[in-house]
């Protein structure tokens, strides 16, 4: 007999996946509303693991349903399809004890008012336990137009990109160097039974192979450590700021990079800007947790005439809104929701943000442009166009720690060095 909580997790997994796969909802938004309905932290982790795994393996599970059923449930019977995907993920990726996975998922079919389909759910999941899933090219997860773009941009690396994007990401941590050393924190992780290794070239980064919940991390609520991919932590190294520098973080929310920069040097005077006032509240929460401070402002970085007092910044970080194609392994629903028009709109927005941010930078100052995209149109082509229209802008070389050369910047592809896909460019305003 399955526990009530176990059944409730499967019910919520089916509803969450249905909303994300069939009704255009974002996984993050859905989880934000479903997770608080679950009391136990392990059940919450299970719900997340089921949803992420099912979305990453969507193409294989689709193929299995088409192979195993004469009439596979389509998007119109979305909740049933989502429940089957949730069941597959428990068997295939999470490798839960077969009985637990099966009985709780079949019970969930009943709890969803689908008692008439419980037998079918049972039969399909039993088959998934007996047989292997049909092999599917991980590229099949990508919409055709986006897959073509990745192949056009990265030719011989495209297969590796698709494969890495279908893998679960490791847990990267950033040790707050204001509150302790990385060596000491690694010892505390070992004492807590959490295996982790320091990054070889990122001074604050620690990589945990088997992700744990933040509640299990020593000192998390005291701000001693934060969750942040290594590729995002590298952004602080691209800036190289002198003590006391006046810095604009033009797209700051939810505040990960601002917090990192201030942990490294609390003497920085940082203005954290974001157009989204609600997300800006998260910047304040992040900064408070790690024990640093910055001025925050809800404003459009692309229109300095609205908010800038004319006092030039020594440096600007433009961590621009982008397609998120470099972090599909962390946000697998990106592939369900992106449309070609979005990319064109993002490219126009990034160009506007570059021009606006540039205006506020002092001569001799440095602007770092970063995205978690792997599309050249948002990255090297965006920067080439900017360098062509801003005559006093000159690209500064970044070293190989930032990935391969890509025009005037550098690109790390997803999975390389265990990190997310990220683009970085460092541009100096000539005097
Ligand atoms: C990639 S996220 C930034 C992540 C952040 N730097 C961090 O490390 O936590 C991009 C942000 O740009 C913001 N944004 C979008 N358009 C903007 C605009 N016109 N002006 C300022 N911020 C904008 C979004 O609200 C979003 O929070």
């Amino acid at each position: 007999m399955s526990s009530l909580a176990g059944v409730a997790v499967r019910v919520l997994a089916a509803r969450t996946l249905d909303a994300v796969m069939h009704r255009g909802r974002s996984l993050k938004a859905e989880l934000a509303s479903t997770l608080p309905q679950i009391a136990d932290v392990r059940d919450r982790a299970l719900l997340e693991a089921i949803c992420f795994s099912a979305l990453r393996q969507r193409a294989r599970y689709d193929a299995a349903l088409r192979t195993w059923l004469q009439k596979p449930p389509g998007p119109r019977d979305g909740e049933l399809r989502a429940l089957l995907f949730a069941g597959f993920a428990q068997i295939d990726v999470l490798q839960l004890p077969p009985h637990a996975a099966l009985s709780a998922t079949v019970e969930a079919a009943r709890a969803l008012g689908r008692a008439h389909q419980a037998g079918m759910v049972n039969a399909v999941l039993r088959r998934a336990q007996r047989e292997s899933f049909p092999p599917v090219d991980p590229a099949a997860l990508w919409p055709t137009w986006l897959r073509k773009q990745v192949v056009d941009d990265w030719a011989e690396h495209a297969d590796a990109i698709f494969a890495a994007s279908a893998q679960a990401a490791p847990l990267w941590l950033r040790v707050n160097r204001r509150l302790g050393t990385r060596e000491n924190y690694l010892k505390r992780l070992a004492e807590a039974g959490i295996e982790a290794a320091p990054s070889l070239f990122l001074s604050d980064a620690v990589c945990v192979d088997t992700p744990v919940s933040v509640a299990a991390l020593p000192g998390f609520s005291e701000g001693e450590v934060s969750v942040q991919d290594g590729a995002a932590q590298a952004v602080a190294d691209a800036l190289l700021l002198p003590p006391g520098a006046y810095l604009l973080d033009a797209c700051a929310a939810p505040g990960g990079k601002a917090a990192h920069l201030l942990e490294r040097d609390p003497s920085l005077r940082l203005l954290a800007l974001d157009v989204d006032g609600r997300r800006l509240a998260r910047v304040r929460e992040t900064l408070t947790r790690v024990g640093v401070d910055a001025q925050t402002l809800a404003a459009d970085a692309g229109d300095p005439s609205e908010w800038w007092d004319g006092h030039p910044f020594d440096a600007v970080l433009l961590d621009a809104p982008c397609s998120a194609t470099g972090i599909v392994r962390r946000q697998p629903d990106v592939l369900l929701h992106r449309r070609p028009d979005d990319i064109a709109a993002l490219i126009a927005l990034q160009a506007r943000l570059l021009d606006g941010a540039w205006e506020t930078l002092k001569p001799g100052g440095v602007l770092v442009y970063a995205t978690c995209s792997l599309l050249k149109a948002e990255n090297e082509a965006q920067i080439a166009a900017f360098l062509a229209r801003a005559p006093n802008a000159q690209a500064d070389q970044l070293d190989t720690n930032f990935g391969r050369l890509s025009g005037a910047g550098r690109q790390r592809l997803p999975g390389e060095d265990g990190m997310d896909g990220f683009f970085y460019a460092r541009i100096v305003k000539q005097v």
Side-chain angles (χ1 to χ4, degrees), residues 250-257 274-276 279 299-301 319-321 352-353:
C251 293
K257 297 180 191 72
D274 203 283
V275 76
D276 184 334
R279 281 172 62 80
D300 175 3
D319 185 24
R352 198 171 70 76
L353 291 172

